[in-house]
Amino acid sequence: MKRNFKHLLSLAFVAIGATALAQTQDNNRYQEQYRPQVHFSPREHWINDPNGMVYYNGTYHLFYQYYPGGTTWGPMHWGHAQSKDLMHWKEMPIALYPDSLGYIFSGSAVADIHNTSGFGKNGRIPLVAIFTHHDPKGEKSGRNDFQNQSIAYSLDEGKTWTKYAGNPVLKNTGIRDFRDPKVMWFEPQKKWIMTLATQDHITFFSSPDLKHWKQESEFGKQLGAHGGVWECPDLFPLKVDGKTYWVLVVNLNPGGPNGGSATQYFIGTFDGHGFAAVDEKTRWLDYGPDEYAGVTWSNTGDRKIFLGWMSNWAYANLVPTEKWRNAMTIPRDLSLKQVNGEVLLASLPVLELNGIKEPAKSVVLNKAGTFTGRGLLKLSTVSLSDYRVTLSNSLEEELVIGYDKKARQYYIDRTKAGNTAFQKDFKGRFFAPRFSSSQSSDLTLVIDAASIELFADQGLTTMTAIFFPDKPFDHVKVESKDRLKDLKLSGLNAIWK
Ligand code: FRU
């Protein structure tokens, strides 16, 4: 009896201890080493591409390729998070689970305002997700038609989803890589347009109701970069100087400008049937190694907000985090700019970032100062000469970002930025051209615990890179021979409460 009581007592202590431990661990969530503090990352497990991004009734929905069974890529689900301000995210229950038709690969979501699908009930507007069903059995057996497009709808603003009984709605015609449908409403012809990645080109389809699809045209076999498979496309109009152009975004893996996966884009026209590019140049939306699968939110009117996965297929499964793996970029506003007779796409962090910004502090040029390890650094120059921003820690690890006037290039150097051993190509110095020909320049850096995003010349040159220092970078030094017009660093409040 006595022994039993003691035993019970010790069990109770173990239980109390375990609860206390669980609580501490819980409080430590989002505090782990390398945990992004101003970027979306899942509480735990693996993520890749952003999916189904739709703005509806004041809420930004972000779905994403998610494997809840581990921290490496696995049978794909759609995870779900939502935000009112594009900064603070609330993770929601998993939206879509794999089923007899396969894993749930990438795709998009739309607000079917006219209820063309007929899924709406009692005046409730359906959100419709259009995604790729990837059948792993078909793939293993060597078939070519294991990727098909399916749909699902939600009548409660994305909380729960019902898959359409008639899936798949667009059947594969025998192309191994036949995926990642991005759907938009084409108002002039009152129809839906699907932009689909079909191996080494894009195929456009149209539909009156999201259920019946007809092929319209193909684009890109002979254009753009072809170092790898085309994936995750997007198509949308943007205006510059009163003129509308269509932007076709095409992600590519591998074959990016700095190795591995990256996002290219084309500027052109679209008439509801086909896309024609204005020229034959290959252009990159982000030159860094770590922005991939980026696409835009739907239903945001004239505003186009872009979000990418902040990793690279070359090492996404190997980066040294334990509870979760991979994060998203900062959301970016896209715009077109006329530069030396060319129309280029520019990206800048969304203005909502200012909502988590602390008051800006001046930084003394050529002198190291301390900071919290995350922040928004802004500088502008009077004339343009070499400059360099170094983030470092007491272990003498450093990340160097700068401009090389002679080469007309921006660069990010992570060769000495901590742990680079997990994959041979991770260590590196990455370059991006300067497009602007203006005499002066400006630079915005979004610095987080394990990532840097560079936006130069009002976002004409953009680069994203991740890094894994053994201790957080808490020193920053800006060096330039010439004086700068402006140099400021603002802290950023952590988005996790
Ligand atoms: C791009 C991608 C998509 C695919 C998904 C699978 O990163 O390969 O083409 O739908 O990831 O997770």
Side-chain angles (χ1 to χ4, degrees), residues 57-250:
N57 205 11
T59 298
Y60 292 94
H61 292 274
L62 166 63
F63 300 88
Y64 41 86
Q65 290 287 278
Y66 186 51
Y67 179 46
T71 49
T72 49
W73 190 89
M76 283 289 115
H77 299 53
W78 271 27
H80 182 199
Q82 60 185 43
S83 171
K84 295 272 180 205
D85 64 358
L86 292 166
M87 293 292 130
H88 300 90
W89 294 96
K90 182 170 178 225
E91 223 169 299
M92 307 293 289
I94 290 175
L96 296 171
Y97 286 79
D99 56 40
S100 62
L101 294 175
Y103 301 162
I104 314 297
F105 269 24
S106 288
S108 49
V110 295
D112 182 11
I113 291 161
H114 309 295
N115 196 20
T116 62
S117 60
F119 292 140
K121 270 190 205 101
N122 307 327
R124 269 180 295 167
I125 290 172
L127 294 182
V128 181
I130 308 96
F131 57 90
T132 301
H133 253 132
H134 170 100
D135 172 18
K137 285 194 224 96
E139 182 184 21
K140 270 198 205 96
S141 69
R143 296 174 68 102
N144 276 336
D145 58 357
F146 53 87
Q147 295 187 336
N148 296 281
Q149 318 319 317
S150 290
I151 58 177
Y153 64 93
S154 170
L155 294 177
D156 56 6
E157 305 202 7
K159 282 190 204 74
T160 59
W161 291 82
T162 306
K163 291 189 188 122
Y164 175 51
N167 281 340
V169 291
L170 175 60
K171 284 214 179 101
N172 195 320
T173 49
I175 302 180
R176 275 187 67 83
D177 298 286
F178 188 77
R179 59 177 178 264
D180 309 340
K182 183 73 162 81
V183 173
M184 58 156 294
W185 178 249
F186 190 70
E187 179 60 26
Q189 294 165 22
K190 307 238 181 299
K191 65 186 188 188
W192 299 100
I193 296 292
M194 179 195 290
T195 306
L196 193 71
T198 46
Q199 204 159 333
D200 58 350
H201 63 283
I202 295 298
T203 308
F204 296 103
F205 298 85
S206 68
S207 170
D209 58 4
L210 298 163
K211 292 172 178 161
H212 303 90
W213 293 93
K214 166 179 130 196
Q215 181 165 333
E216 292 281 354
S217 62
E218 294 183 348
F219 169 82
K221 263 193 191 138
Q222 321 291 340
L223 279 181
H226 283 277
V229 176
W230 283 21
E231 300 181 318
C232 300
D234 196 357
L235 175 75
F236 49 86
L238 275 178
K239 268 197 191 129
V240 59
D241 299 337
K243 192 166 170 202
T244 300
Y245 290 88
W246 284 78
V247 181
L248 177 63
V249 168
V250 178

Side-chain angles (χ1 to χ4, degrees), residues 459-489:
L460 277 176
T461 298
T462 300
M463 296 179 89
T464 305
I466 54 175
F467 49 80
F468 300 93
D470 291 304
K471 275 174 82 180
F473 288 138
D474 53 2
H475 279 74
V476 55
K477 188 174 184 184
V478 182
E479 294 165 279
S480 163
K481 273 187 251 112
D482 292 354
R483 88 188 157 82
L484 299 177
K485 199 155 100 202
D486 198 18
L487 173 57
K488 285 203 179 77
L489 179 63

Side-chain angles (χ1 to χ4, degrees), residues 353-354 357 375-378 444-446 488-490 492:
L353 183 61
N354 292 333
K357 205 173 84 174
L376 185 68
L377 186 139
K378 288 195 176 221
T444 298
L445 295 179
V446 180
K488 285 203 179 77
L489 179 63
S490 314
L492 291 172

